[in-house]
Amino acid sequence: MRQNPERRAALLDAAIEVLAGEGSRGLTLRAVDKEAGVPTGTASNYFVNRAQLLGQILRRTRERLVPDESVLTGPLDTADLLRDLLARMRRERSVHIAMLELRLEATRRPELREELAGFLAAELEDNVAWHLDAGLPGDRTGVVLLYLAMLGLIVDDLTVPALLDPYPVDGLIDSMVARLLPSDT
């Protein structure tokens, strides 16, 4: 198994593009090689099988979506943090679409479902804990509700953006925060 971290990251980035562009059925090691512009067989030197590739794509999506440290310092405002999240999702559109494809693939692959559920549960718990530790308004349930509301907004924004045209997104974010995380809790 090859260990070149830069090559592995490039292959995973190529796999994300294939997954976002072609869907789960189009994701093969050969397609990853082609997207990465490397010789056929290179991806198979880094990933034992497709299941391992899927798991590593999951982790790579999160590496690419980590917020800039400057966003997480200074006076924090929940609505501004959510606007930054949406902007990152828009910039890294294929990463989030690949993540949606992984969620769909997990409905057919119990082993991926288990890995995805554990990964997302840990991520959600980390986000809730960070929010509460940062002293931002709201309680645990409100933060989870906000996560669910933002996930829906992001999915629609990335897949059918015209649906949200009558509703300015900044206003929706402000309303979500005000309603789900009242400052008096």
Side-chain angles (χ1 to χ4, degrees):
M1 190 63 47
R2 298 280 169 95
Q3 298 301 320
N4 180 331
E6 293 83 19
R7 174 64 62 94
R8 181 179 298 278
L11 290 167
L12 288 169
D13 289 340
I16 287 169
E17 294 303 321
V18 171
L19 192 56
E22 303 297 324
S24 180
R25 294 188 190 265
L27 182 66
T28 64
L29 295 175
R30 185 177 297 262
V32 171
D33 288 338
K34 183 177 178 187
E35 178 70 26
V38 298
T40 301
T42 303
S44 62
N45 289 325
Y46 284 82
F47 310 105
V48 175
N49 54 37
R50 191 169 182 275
Q52 184 190 52
L53 174 63
L54 291 170
Q56 289 191 30
I57 289 170
L58 176 63
R59 286 179 280 292
R60 180 67 178 154
T61 62
R62 288 315 178 237
E63 290 171 8
R64 287 184 50 184
L65 292 175
V66 170
D68 185 89
E69 193 62 37
S70 66
V71 172
L72 304 177
T73 58
L76 298 173
D77 177 80
T78 304
D80 288 341
L81 291 169
L82 295 176
R83 281 188 265 283
D84 177 72
L85 170 66
L86 183 61
R88 277 184 284 125
M89 293 298 172
R90 287 172 172 167
R91 275 192 312 272
E92 293 279 356
R93 188 175 195 281
S94 60
V95 173
H96 196 71
I97 290 173
M99 194 62 202
L100 293 173
E101 288 288 344
L102 286 173
R103 286 173 180 258
L104 292 171
E105 182 69 10
T107 65
R108 296 177 287 276
R109 292 177 171 265
E111 70 283 357
L112 180 59
R113 183 179 320 125
E114 187 175 321
E115 185 174 4
L116 183 64
F119 185 85
L120 291 176
E123 184 178 77
L124 178 57
E125 182 53 37
D126 287 348
N127 284 329
V128 170
W130 183 89
H131 183 98
L132 297 175
D133 291 347
L136 292 165
D139 60 9
R140 177 171 293 281
T141 300
V143 176
V144 171
L145 289 171
L146 191 61
Y147 163 83
L148 295 170
M150 278 302 294
L151 181 59
L153 186 145
I154 289 167
V155 168
D156 283 348
D157 186 81
L158 292 175
T159 59
V160 285
L163 178 66
L164 299 177
D165 283 350
Y167 310 97
V169 173
D170 283 345
L172 291 175
I173 289 173
D174 289 338
S175 292
M176 280 192 284
V177 171
R179 293 178 187 201
L180 297 173
L181 303 177
S183 56
D184 61 352
T185 58

